[in-house]
Amino acid sequence: MVAASTKPILFYPEIEQREHPGAARDAYGRAMTYLRISLTDRCNFRCVYCMPAIGMKFQPREEHLSDDELIRVVGLFAQLGVTKLRLTGGEPTIRPRLPELVRRMRAFEGIEEVSMTTNALLLSRMAKDLKEAGLGRVNISIDTLDPEKFKLMTRGGRLDLVWAGIEAAHEVGLAPIKLNTVMMRGQNEHEVGDLAAMTIDRPWSMRFLEIMPLEGVGDVHDEGLVTTEETHSRLEERFGPLEPIETDPSDPARLWRIPGALGTIGFISPVSAPFCAACNRVRLTADGKLRLCLLRPDEADLRDLVRAGADDETILRGMRAAIWRKPWGHGLGEGERETVRGMSQIGG
Ligand code: SAM
Ligand code: SF4
């Protein structure tokens, strides 16, 4: 069953302000304390659910924020009350000077954590430098444990190198490690048990994501959504009842545990159980747009302001005004879909 997100009618500032006083808020009272930063729209994989097989167009590099522009904008987000940053893309590890960027972001007062979502292909050689630069933890995409299937799903990726990346992250303590699997009908739903079994003797979180219909890959989605309910049942058939774990409402994953396991299992259900009510995040695209919702086209152009020579106050005003008009929810449960940018362009 597809659940609708509950939209509040009123914003009660005196109640909402108790947590995160001073943070920029939208018209529903949600405080934006988490920023996802797309460092590039490019990638060294071509995952079937993320990019089309042909016709992928990448932005010219001069359209991307330079290092200094990016760091300036991140500093302004820190002034607005953002405390957590997640680097993503495209593939963030292909952005030049990544450890230096992490170090500069981590140095801002108020930034408590910088984490990264990566395909881990290059991570084995970068994990130590990133850890030393102040990266806290990583989420790593791994959709199958079968090397041949992996090659097909990523259109050429090597699972052995990704494993080396996961092990390097584990060794240097980029923890807790979270692994993300996008569920695809006919591709990997029979593997959920083996993927989840990795949490029995490892302190990792294995998270299963419902596939979202984004620009260019809608056909993949239409082949069949594997709902969280279905994945959960499959896991209980193999392991018996999973134990629920209390979760922070702003975490999109609902957490469970195989009894006795060291790690956890998470379900991210943007289609069947949207988590918009507790959304605390906005996004910065590689070309400098403040994107208010993953799946809505509403954006504010921060790069234009920066390149026009705007002072900090003007940019902060623009950011606050944009955040105020953050859309309530993504509408996927109601059958809507993004038609302007794909996941790799927005920063998944
Ligand atoms: N390249 C990095 C990676 O793959 O982890 C970071 C960027 S990727 C766009 C971020 C996350 O989005 C990954 O976990 C990926 O599995 C997920 N993703 C991409 N396309 C998706 C889709 N259509 N539905 C659900 N998740 C998707
Ligand atoms: Fe690249 Fe990540 Fe998209 Fe896969 S999901 S194509 S690794 S950006």
Side-chain angles (χ1 to χ4, degrees):
M1 204 192 87
V2 172
S5 44
T6 317
K7 184 171 178 172
I9 301 163
L10 286 173
F11 165 37
Y12 296 99
E14 68 282 6
I15 298 175
E16 299 292 345
Q17 295 284 356
R18 267 185 225 143
E19 275 185 38
H20 312 294
R25 282 172 194 277
D26 70 5
Y28 302 100
R30 295 173 295 186
M32 295 303 127
T33 54
Y34 181 116
L35 177 68
R36 285 196 172 219
I37 303 171
S38 173
L39 293 179
T40 174
D41 60 342
R42 289 155 206 261
C43 189
N44 39 15
F45 283 177
R46 293 284 183 278
C47 301
V48 290
Y49 49 74
C50 181
M51 293 192 185
I54 47 168
M56 193 68 203
K57 289 197 187 74
F58 298 104
Q59 295 159 342
R61 285 186 208 279
E62 59 276 14
E63 289 199 9
H64 290 175
L65 293 179
S66 68
D67 289 3
D68 288 345
E69 288 170 339
L70 173 63
I71 293 301
R72 178 174 176 213
V73 170
V74 169
L76 295 174
F77 274 106
Q79 287 187 37
L80 279 188
V82 164
T83 56
K84 291 187 179 173
L85 305 176
R86 172 167 293 278
L87 309 179
T88 178
E91 176 46 42
T93 56
I94 63 175
R95 172 101 181 196
R97 300 173 293 282
L98 181 58
E100 183 56 21
L101 284 174
V102 170
R103 189 170 290 113
R104 292 174 73 185
M105 290 179 189
R106 195 68 185 80
F108 285 115
E109 197 182 323
I111 297 299
E112 294 164 5
E113 181 185 272
V114 181
S115 59
M116 178 171 77
T117 301
T118 174
N119 63 27
L121 183 71
L122 303 176
L123 197 57
S124 62
R125 49 177 135 121
M126 298 176 76
K128 189 164 170 284
D129 285 351
L130 288 170
K131 176 75 184 171
E132 282 170 9
L135 190 73
R137 58 196 176 84
V138 282
N139 287 9
I140 296 172
S141 301
I142 180 164
D143 299 313
T144 169
L145 296 172
D146 172 347
E148 285 309 310
K149 177 140 282 186
F150 190 82
K151 202 177 271 177
L152 288 175
M153 289 182 78
T154 55
R155 297 199 184 95
R158 274 186 50 189
L159 185 58
D160 58 332
L161 297 180
V162 169
W163 265 114
I166 296 173
E167 277 161 14
H170 182 73
E171 272 158 30
V172 302
L174 289 170
I177 290 180
K178 297 182 182 176
L179 304 179
N180 288 344
T181 296
V182 176
M183 295 307 305
M184 281 189 70
R185 172 91 47 218
Q187 298 284 331
N188 57 1
E189 75 263 43
H190 59 285
E191 284 195 63
V192 290
D194 292 343
L195 286 159
M198 293 198 293
T199 66
I200 294 174
D201 51 8
R202 299 176 179 90
W204 298 349
S205 186
M206 182 71 238
R207 299 151 17 123
F208 298 102
L209 282 74
E210 286 177 346
I211 193 167
M212 290 184 277
L214 283 124
E215 176 65 6
V217 293
D219 52 335
V220 173
H221 175 271
D222 294 341
E223 282 165 19
L225 169 73
V226 181
T227 62
T228 285
E229 196 180 347
E230 181 180 337
T231 305
H232 194 140
S233 308
R234 236 174 225 276
L235 291 178
E236 293 210 326
E237 270 166 35
R238 169 146 166 198
F239 299 107
L242 302 179
E243 295 169 351
I245 301 174
E246 204 173 318
T247 323
D248 176 349
S250 65
D251 183 345
R254 302 276 72 86
L255 295 186
W256 301 76
R257 191 189 301 281
I258 298 171
L262 288 184
T264 61
I265 292 171
F267 296 105
I268 303 185
S269 325
V271 185
S272 67
F275 32 83
C276 306
C279 185
N280 63 348
R281 61 197 56 192
V282 287
R283 293 176 152 78
L284 180 67
T285 65
D287 58 346
K289 309 283 189 294
L290 165 52
R291 172 105 179 177
L292 301 161
C293 171
L294 173 63
L295 295 160
R296 296 277 186 194
D298 311 63
E299 293 176 347
D301 196 335
L302 303 183
R303 189 194 64 191
D304 265 8
L305 282 174
V306 168
R307 292 194 179 167
D311 60 16
D312 287 359
E313 252 331 298
T314 306
I315 301 174
L316 284 165
R317 246 196 328 273
M319 291 159 88
R320 271 197 205 94
I323 287 173
W324 181 258
R325 60 180 171 77
K326 178 178 162 75
W328 164 250
H330 57 54
L332 271 187
E334 292 90 58
E336 296 177 33
R337 68 172 54 180
E338 158 67 29
T339 54
V340 182
R341 290 184 192 245
M343 187 73 120
S344 59
Q345 291 163 330
I346 304 164

